[in-house]
Amino acid sequence: MASPKAVAVVTGSNKGIGLQIVKGLCQRFKGDVYLTARNEDLGHAAVHSLKAEGLNPKFHQLDITDIVSINSLRDHLQEQYGGLDVLVNNAGIAFKENTDTPFPEQARMTSGVNFFSQVDVCDALFPLLRPHARVVNMSSTVSQWSISKCNSDIQVRFTDAAITLPQLKALVQEFIDAAQTNEHVKQGWPDMAYGVSKIGMTVLTFIQHRELSQDRRSDIVINSCCPGYVQTDMTSNQGPKTPEQGADTPLFLALLPPTTTTPNGEFVSDRKIQKWG
C-alpha cells in the first residue's frame, strides 16, 4: 500500500509573508501545499498567481476565527491525506498606529485572532500531525519588547517553565479584561495589544513543545519565529525586508530535516535561536 501523500498548510496565505511561504513550500516541499484564506475569491486569485509561475498550490477556505471553517479544513485533511506534515500558523491581524478603533476593542480583537483563534486551529489540527511533522507559529520580537514592559509579577507568570495552557489563556484574558476599562497599564501591562498577543503565541509554543515531546508520535518539531520587519499590508509597506525575505526563517523551520534536535521549542529570528523572556 502506498504511503499517504505529504501535505502542508499555511494559514492566512493569500498575500504577504504567507504567500511567499506557500511559494517556497511549493518549490521545496515534497507533497501538496495548501494556500488558505478567509475570502475564497482572494484565495483563488493568489493560487492563480502562483500557478502562472509554474507552481501548483491547492486552496482551502479557512477563517481561523470560525470553528466551522477550522473543522472543515480538518475534515478535508483527514479524508484526503489521513494526516498533516507541515503547519505554519501565519494568519494574524494588527491595528495601525493611527487607527480609530478604541483600545478595548483592539485588545479584544487582536488577542482573539492572534492568540485564541490560533489555539483553536492547533486544537483541531494537532491530532492530525504525523511523526516528523513540523509546526511554525508566527510570533514577533515585539513579544520580547512587550514582556519587558510587563510588571514583574506578570513576567514571572508568563515565563514559568511549568505554565499550562489554561493558565496562559487566563493571563491573556486578564489583559483583555483590564483593557476594557483602560486599566491595563495601571495593572502592569504594556500599552500594545499586538505585543501581548504575540507573547501569547511565543509562550504557547513553549507549552506545545513540552506536550509534544511527551507524545507517542516521534520527531514532531515546533518553533515560533519572528519574520522581521517586513513590507506588507500589516506594516503599511514599511520595513527593510521584502515578504520573500520575511518568509526565509519560517520556511527554514517548516523544512527542518528528520530527527532535528535544534531548534525545537525555541523562538527563532534570522534562523538563529533567540533568548526570550
Side-chain angles (χ1 to χ4, degrees), residues 6 19 34 40 44 97 129 146 183 185 194-195 209 223 241 263:
L19 181 62
Y34 275 83
E40 293 204 29
H44 285 301
E97 283 188 23
L129 294 175
S146 297
E183 295 278 310
V185 174
Y194 182 77
H209 166 66
N223 291 286
K241 284 188 175 183

Side-chain angles (χ1 to χ4, degrees), residues 90-105:
N90 172 73
I93 62 168
F95 285 92
K96 309 291 188 206
E97 283 188 23
N98 62 352
T99 181
D100 293 329
T101 305
F103 193 83
E105 185 69 1

Side-chain angles (χ1 to χ4, degrees), residues 205-223:
T205 306
F206 300 151
I207 293 170
Q208 291 172 330
H209 166 66
R210 202 171 69 226
E211 293 176 347
L212 287 168
S213 66
Q214 304 297 316
D215 197 279
R216 60 181 175 77
R217 296 167 291 180
S218 63
D219 187 38
I220 297 179
V221 173
I222 182 167
N223 291 286

